[in-house]
Amino acid sequence: MVSLDFLKPGDAGKITSINGRQNFLSRISGIGFSLNEKIEMLQNNKRGPVIVSLRGSEVALGRKEASAVIVELGRE
Amino acid sequence: MSTLKTNYTIALAGQPNTGKSTIFNRLTGGHQHVGNWPGKTVEKKGGNFHFNDKQFELIDLPGTYSLTSNSMEEKVTRDFLVNEKPDVVVAVVDASQLERTLYMLSEIILFPVKIILVLNMMDVATANGVNLDVGNLQKELGIKVIPMAASKNQGMPELLEAIDSECSSKKEPVKNNPNLKWQTGDLTAEIEAGIAGKVNAPYPEKWLALKLLEEDSDICELVENELEPAAWDNVKESLKKSQGGGTLLAAGERYSWINSILSSSLQWTGQSKKTGRRHKFDSLATHPLWGKILAVLILMLTFIATFLLCMPVIKFLLGSMANISGLLKSSLAGQPQWVASMIGDGLVPGLGISMVMISFLLPLFFIIGFLEDVGYIARLSYVFDGFMNRLGLHGKSFMSFLLSFSCNISGVMGSRVIDSWKQRLITIIMTSIIPCGAVWGVIGLMIVIFFNTNTVLVVSCLFLAMIIQLMITSMLMRRFLPDEDYTGLIMELPPYHKPNFRTIFIYTWTFAKGFIKRGFTLIAGVSFFVWLLSYFPNGNIETSFLSTIGHGLDPIGSLMGMDWRLIVALIAAVASKEAALASLAVIYGIGSGVTSITQIYSTKVGFEHSALGEALLHSIGPATALAFIFAFFFSIPCVGTLGVIYSETKSIKWTVGSACYYTFTSLAFGVIAYNVGLIIF
């Protein structure tokens, strides 16, 4: 299991946990993140925010925010 | 029999980027009014429409992703749903992103209100391979479902019919609907049982239970006040079992509901779009380097295009202003001289400036509306987010700052793309720190006259001071407006859309109306006031109230080594930055034939820049010049900017507050520069 910011473009997996304060969790939930949801990395430039795809949408996530999302790698 | 109700309130709710405003515009046309929610800085948009001899008031609720108490926008939405009890709530989702956008419905559906679900962007969804059984979805949800493509005007008659029939339907929505196919989690059920029948509030119990699980601060407080201490302790015990994961549990429950609703209605046919392949343009637009270059190019083009579009109009306006002013003055020849001057030099230029501004703002706003409508703004914010974070701001503020270098007014307007009001307000106020083109024109001349060989050094110092000023102001603003909701960058990158010109036109028109109502009057008023000061008591600027004020400010001026003339030039810059040079020329007696400062706008003041340079060089020292350059660089926003600050914030407090703040900081920078100058020179 790795945090989202370590995923390379094309890597996909399932969200196993999300860490953070209540308002962060509630914001990130509202935009589509939830436990056991499939997620795919689209853009990760080692610095700066990442772009992921989940629930049919593209979402930009700050690096710090991405590191709070823990993912189990692998496609179903 | 009682008379039939013919006035209904309809609320429009949905996540951002679901095409909610397109539907709002389609329904209301130009009949919109914009204000603020009572006691809030959140914008409230309303409009009217008629259908089947009935009148409908449509309220556009802020576009938010959920209904927690984390932001003012979300609080406004949920308070409206429970307190104002709209007759029908129209919930808008993006049919091509159902699994995500239905999240808002999963919150609203628990409320005892009549709901119509609009599946917008059906055309895009179908093209993407979404196969949706609308009839089945309607059955599963137990509410009316209307497929639409609002940008193509498809589905509007059906929506109107649905609104009408729901409004006249006798069926009352039930609180705590038992028919809802909701798989309540064990913990939610436990909390729900713990508060059942004990909370006297308009909120449904399942919704309350989920909000408690989410640790929503407002709801926790409400329930704590409603429950007996023992019962609240029980609820708290249950909440502890989530081990801090309550927010995710609640969200999981909502998404499970969405999945269960969709499982029998939604099918992906053919090529699923979830392959992770990205659009070529998007890869460029979000590239860390090329994306930034592209953004700056697009914004420069925006400005150039705006100028090309408005220049002929402005030229015409400026040309006719002098003529109209002259014509009015000669026709008023029989009247006392002050009447002619008031109309010719006071009113005409004041109205003229406002009109020039509108002709500049309309094309600018249209282009910004276009960039937002096609979905580009989110990419621009993405590439500049890290950069803006260093100033404590979001990526979306970048556009405002860059546009401000050409004109602060466009910077204030550019803030419209920021969806959080707090962030937007901070950006609006801070754009005034950026020196606009006109400021450079004035200080450029001063720098060349006084610091010819050290131009680069002076300009570097100005930029350094600007960054310090940005950081201090941002810090102060965040102290005043603590942004607890700040959670770093979590932003949807909406799919690119074909622009919908109708939406953009109405958007532009609504803005123009708001500007005319507030900005126009403020600008005309202040210009008129400046005229009053510079004309009275005897029609000579050198003995006018303005110079009296200038003399009165001598103690402050002496801190910067300035005499009344430079102070007056600083005051005149309030009306327009460009006017400062001409004012100086008038005061130094180089420009002629002018009796008041505002006349400068309508009459070209003929003066030689070199003559002004000579005069300045002989009357002030380099330390004073440096003080003037710094004070002018950071001077109070011009009246045009104040006008849009007022029309955008709708707050006299913020408008006057920012004027006072920048007056103070301008003087502070002037004093510092003067004293540093005294040491150096």
Side-chain angles (χ1 to χ4, degrees):
Chain A
M1 278 190 277
V2 290
S3 63
L4 192 55
D5 55 325
F6 282 100
L7 265 62
K8 287 188 286 294
D11 284 354
K14 221 155 104 181
I15 301 170
T16 55
S17 68
I18 308 174
N19 312 309
R21 289 184 306 146
Q22 187 266 343
N23 58 353
F24 169 69
L25 294 177
S26 126
R27 274 262 291 147
I28 203 165
S29 300
I31 211 154
F33 286 72
S34 65
L35 300 184
N36 296 319
E37 187 57 35
K38 283 176 281 178
I39 189 165
E40 179 176 345
M41 179 60 72
L42 296 181
Q43 179 168 309
N44 187 349
N45 297 315
K46 304 214 169 65
R47 281 181 61 203
V50 302
I51 302 177
V52 295
S53 154
L54 85 166
R55 288 184 204 278
S57 301
E58 286 184 20
V59 176
L61 212 56
R63 198 136 206 104
K64 205 173 126 234
E65 288 67 38
S67 69
V69 179
I70 310 300
V71 176
E72 190 185 317
L73 274 169
R75 280 174 204 271
E76 276 172 28
Chain B
M1 219 180 106
S2 63
T3 48
L4 272 172
K5 193 175 162 187
T6 52
N7 276 309
Y8 297 97
T9 308
I10 314 295
L12 198 58
Q15 294 192 341
N17 306 313
T18 49
K20 192 164 67 76
S21 44
T22 310
I23 295 175
F24 181 76
N25 290 336
R26 287 273 179 210
L27 283 173
T28 60
H31 307 283
Q32 303 180 2
H33 41 86
V34 183
N36 279 6
W37 291 91
K40 301 259 167 51
T41 44
V42 180
E43 190 171 81
K44 180 181 185 180
K45 247 168 67 181
N48 297 300
F49 64 94
H50 293 268
F51 186 72
N52 281 354
D53 297 329
K54 286 167 203 147
Q55 166 126 18
F56 297 92
E57 163 87 4
L58 186 65
I59 305 293
D60 189 17
L61 296 170
T64 59
Y65 289 98
S66 60
L67 291 183
T68 42
S69 59
N70 285 336
S71 73
M72 279 192 281
E73 287 83 352
E74 295 176 67
K75 271 192 229 180
V76 158
T77 303
R78 73 185 196 195
D79 286 352
F80 186 83
L81 291 180
V82 295
N83 298 331
E84 308 295 321
K85 297 192 182 64
D87 294 290
V88 169
V89 177
V90 176
V92 185
V93 296
D94 177 350
S96 69
Q97 304 188 56
L98 271 179
E99 297 116 303
R100 193 175 57 73
T101 52
L102 274 172
Y103 195 75
M104 188 65 168
L105 181 73
S106 76
E107 296 246 27
I108 301 173
I109 201 147
L110 298 176
F111 285 87
V113 285
K114 293 177 188 171
I115 305 169
I116 296 170
L117 176 67
V118 167
L119 305 171
N120 196 19
M121 310 189 185
M122 269 312 270
D123 51 337
V124 181
T126 312
N128 284 353
V130 171
N131 193 353
L132 201 60
D133 184 344
V134 174
N136 190 50
L137 187 62
Q138 191 157 286
K139 215 175 72 210
E140 291 281 320
L141 287 168
I143 59 173
K144 273 234 168 75
V145 179
I146 312 286
M148 279 183 76
S151 61
K152 292 182 177 165
N153 210 12
Q154 289 165 2
M156 289 307 292
E158 290 82 355
L159 176 60
L160 282 167
E161 281 292 346
I163 291 175
D164 185 27
S165 77
E166 282 298 308
C167 279
S168 24
S169 137
K170 292 268 181 324
K171 193 184 74 193
E172 282 304 314
V174 278
K175 202 169 164 178
N176 303 324
N177 184 358
N179 296 328
L180 200 66
K181 295 188 173 167
W182 191 291
Q183 279 284 328
T184 310
D186 295 342
L187 203 47
T188 319
E190 192 179 311
I191 299 164
E192 205 180 334
I195 59 171
K198 293 175 186 156
V199 181
N200 182 23
Y203 301 100
E205 277 156 4
K206 189 185 297 298
W207 188 82
L208 283 177
L210 285 163
K211 285 294 150 193
L212 287 171
L213 197 55
E214 278 184 343
E215 301 166 52
D216 182 297
S217 52
D218 284 10
I219 297 300
C220 285
E221 202 184 308
L222 174 112
V223 175
E224 187 179 355
N225 289 336
E226 287 286 324
L227 291 187
E228 302 280 323
W232 174 243
D233 284 340
N234 282 338
V235 170
K236 275 205 300 202
E237 278 306 310
S238 310
L239 287 176
K240 269 189 196 148
K241 292 184 197 162
S242 75
Q243 294 172 323
T247 308
L248 294 175
L249 275 180
E253 209 171 306
R254 295 200 184 94
Y255 282 118
S256 309
W257 174 75
I258 293 172
N259 289 343
S260 73
I261 290 292
L262 289 179
S263 63
S264 58
S265 311
L266 175 72
Q267 275 180 332
W268 289 86
T269 53
Q271 183 72 27
S272 159
K273 68 162 190 165
K274 298 175 182 171
T275 50
R277 275 203 51 197
R278 305 193 61 219
H279 204 276
K280 267 205 189 106
F281 177 78
D282 211 24
S283 303
L284 177 75
T286 56
H287 189 275
L289 176 66
W290 297 116
K292 285 193 183 80
I293 293 174
L294 180 76
V296 172
L297 280 178
I298 286 179
L299 291 178
M300 276 164 68
L301 269 177
T302 299
F303 204 73
I304 293 169
T306 305
F307 254 102
L308 287 179
L309 284 170
C310 73
M311 251 345 203
V313 185
I314 291 183
K315 258 197 183 141
F316 171 77
L317 279 173
L318 287 178
S320 48
M321 221 152 76
N323 293 339
I324 292 172
S325 166
L327 216 70
L328 281 173
K329 272 179 163 178
S330 57
S331 70
L332 288 167
Q335 308 295 323
Q337 219 211 325
W338 67 268
V339 176
S341 177
M342 175 180 80
I343 292 172
D345 307 331
L347 276 179
V348 173
L351 292 174
I353 296 173
S354 303
M355 273 158 69
V356 165
M357 281 196 38
I358 287 191
S359 53
F360 165 73
L361 286 173
L362 284 183
L364 176 81
F365 198 51
F366 185 82
I367 299 173
I368 293 176
F370 173 85
L371 289 176
E372 192 174 24
D373 198 54
V374 296
Y376 176 68
I377 297 294
R379 275 76 186 177
L380 180 139
S381 316
Y382 166 80
V383 285
F384 282 108
D385 194 70
F387 179 74
M388 294 308 284
N389 276 177
R390 287 180 213 166
L391 288 172
L393 293 164
H394 287 195
K396 287 206 171 178
S397 306
F398 180 79
M399 182 163 87
S400 282
F401 280 64
L402 197 72
L403 286 174
S404 282
F405 275 104
S406 51
C407 170
N408 286 180
I409 296 160
S410 50
V412 174
M413 292 317 303
S415 77
R416 285 218 156 200
V417 301
I418 303 169
D419 26 33
S420 140
W421 258 94
K422 268 184 198 167
Q423 281 291 326
R424 194 172 149 195
L425 197 53
I426 293 175
T427 309
I428 287 176
I429 303 299
M430 285 184 60
T431 51
S432 297
I433 297 171
I434 308 288
C436 68
V439 168
W440 286 114
V442 174
I443 59 168
L445 183 78
M446 296 290 278
I447 293 174
V448 170
I449 295 173
F450 287 92
F451 308 102
N452 204 351
T453 48
N454 290 319
T455 301
V456 178
L457 185 67
V458 175
V459 172
S460 311
C461 288
L462 281 171
F463 264 105
L464 190 71
M466 180 186 84
I467 290 167
I468 294 170
Q469 165 76 325
L470 282 172
M471 288 191 328
I472 293 174
T473 310
S474 155
M475 212 178 68
L476 286 173
M477 286 294 291
R478 279 178 292 158
R479 177 89 32 107
F480 271 111
L481 285 170
D483 196 1
E484 317 86 15
D485 8 320
Y486 183 71
T487 43
L489 180 73
I490 305 172
M491 183 178 62
E492 183 195 351
L493 295 177
Y496 291 105
H497 285 296
K498 281 199 194 105
N500 180 355
F501 285 103
R502 194 189 144 94
T503 305
I504 306 172
F505 270 120
I506 294 179
Y507 203 50
T508 312
W509 170 235
T510 315
F511 148 74
K513 277 205 302 195
F515 177 77
I516 290 167
K517 214 167 95 189
R518 297 191 190 80
F520 200 92
T521 34
L522 184 84
I523 294 165
V526 172
S527 304
F528 184 67
F529 186 65
V530 172
W531 168 81
L532 268 180
L533 289 180
S534 70
Y535 185 83
F536 282 101
N538 46 25
N540 182 352
I541 187 170
E542 284 179 53
T543 51
S544 67
F545 290 131
L546 194 58
S547 78
T548 314
I549 294 172
H551 283 293
L553 290 174
D554 255 351
I556 296 174
S558 65
L559 291 176
M560 303 181 283
M562 293 185 198
D563 66 1
W564 70 275
R565 291 180 286 202
L566 291 175
I567 295 281
V568 167
L570 283 180
I571 299 175
V574 176
S576 141
K577 305 281 171 189
E578 294 92 331
L581 277 186
S583 319
L584 274 177
V586 173
I587 300 167
Y588 276 95
I590 295 157
S592 53
V594 195
T595 50
S596 74
I597 286 203
T598 39
Q599 201 185 343
I600 290 163
Y601 314 132
S602 55
T603 324
K604 265 223 154 40
V605 183
F607 70 92
E608 292 277 326
H609 276 205
S610 55
L612 178 62
E614 278 296 303
L616 285 172
L617 211 46
H618 283 114
S619 63
I620 60 176
T624 302
L626 196 67
F628 183 81
I629 288 169
F630 272 83
F632 193 80
F633 190 87
F634 292 108
S635 61
I636 171 173
C638 71
V639 61
T641 309
L642 289 174
V644 282
I645 290 179
Y646 179 47
S647 80
E648 289 302 287
T649 61
K650 300 170 203 72
S651 156
I652 278 286
K653 195 183 86 188
W654 280 107
T655 313
V656 174
S658 67
C660 293
Y661 171 74
Y662 287 120
T663 306
F664 174 76
T665 52
S666 154
L667 295 177
F669 273 106
V671 172
I672 294 170
Y674 180 61
N675 285 293
V676 172
L678 283 182
I679 298 168
I680 300 172
F681 306 116

